Amino acid sequence: MTNSTLTSTKKLLAGRMVLTFAAAVTGVTPFLADWNHTHIYNEQWPPHAKFHNAQTLSVGALLSAAALFYTWRSKGGVRANLLPAVGFSSLYWVSQSMAFAFPGVAWTDPHLLKPGQSLEQFPQQVPLEIVLYSLITVGTALVLAGTADKHASTQV
């Protein structure tokens, strides 16, 4: 194995690890944020609102599982699996970003605001979205760099 192949293999593995971390965050973070009195156990929420919250939690978990599957899938080649892996990792965060464009949407419920907070402030979810978009971009770049050598894409 040449040094360039070894470097390519390391880049590919690093990219997959970054994408794995992003997918894991996508599957776990919604539960950490919503499995409490502010969302799923919020007594002020009607059952239908809780239904949509549960649906969102489930979608995050399913997107995470699909992203992990394609991140590590060997059939079809690494580059062919990269697009679905990145797509599944990104969709939850893209849909969360898009949610702010809908009428009557707020980043939290008014009764949950802490002293000094307002509904007009920068949404607390946006920094996490930026981090996830960045991780997915870095992971993608590393996978692409690791597969630049055609031989490397068949090694891992």
Side-chain angles (χ1 to χ4, degrees):
M1 191 179 287
T2 66
N3 282 342
S4 67
T5 302
L6 185 59
T7 302
S8 294
T9 302
K10 286 182 180 180
K11 287 178 185 176
L12 175 58
L13 181 59
R16 283 178 156 175
M17 294 303 293
V18 171
L19 291 174
T20 296
F21 179 74
V25 169
T26 299
V28 173
T29 303
F31 284 92
L32 294 175
D34 291 3
W35 201 266
N36 57 51
H37 73 282
T38 66
H39 285 74
I40 204 73
Y41 294 115
N42 189 333
E43 293 181 10
Q44 296 183 17
W45 280 19
H48 191 68
K50 291 180 182 188
F51 167 83
H52 284 288
N53 183 230
Q55 183 181 23
T56 300
L57 294 172
S58 299
V59 167
L62 292 169
L63 289 171
S64 173
L68 289 169
F69 173 79
Y70 282 102
T71 297
W72 293 97
R73 183 176 185 227
S74 57
K75 184 177 181 182
V78 175
R79 284 183 174 231
N81 290 309
L82 183 61
L83 181 61
V86 169
F88 287 125
S89 281
S90 302
L91 282 175
Y92 183 87
W93 305 105
V94 169
S95 68
Q96 182 171 280
S97 298
M98 292 172 61
F100 293 112
F102 285 79
V105 171
W107 65 271
T108 192
D109 287 334
H111 71 280
L112 297 173
L113 288 171
K114 295 176 180 152
Q117 289 182 326
S118 76
L119 292 177
E120 288 77 38
Q121 76 184 60
F122 195 70
Q124 290 182 341
Q125 297 89 337
V126 173
L128 181 60
E129 292 169 6
I130 292 168
V131 168
L132 266 294
Y133 293 142
S134 300
L135 285 172
I136 293 166
T137 301
V138 167
T140 301
L142 285 167
V143 169
L144 290 174
T147 58
D149 176 9
K150 188 175 181 180
H151 179 71
S153 66
T154 61
Q155 294 297 310
V156 177

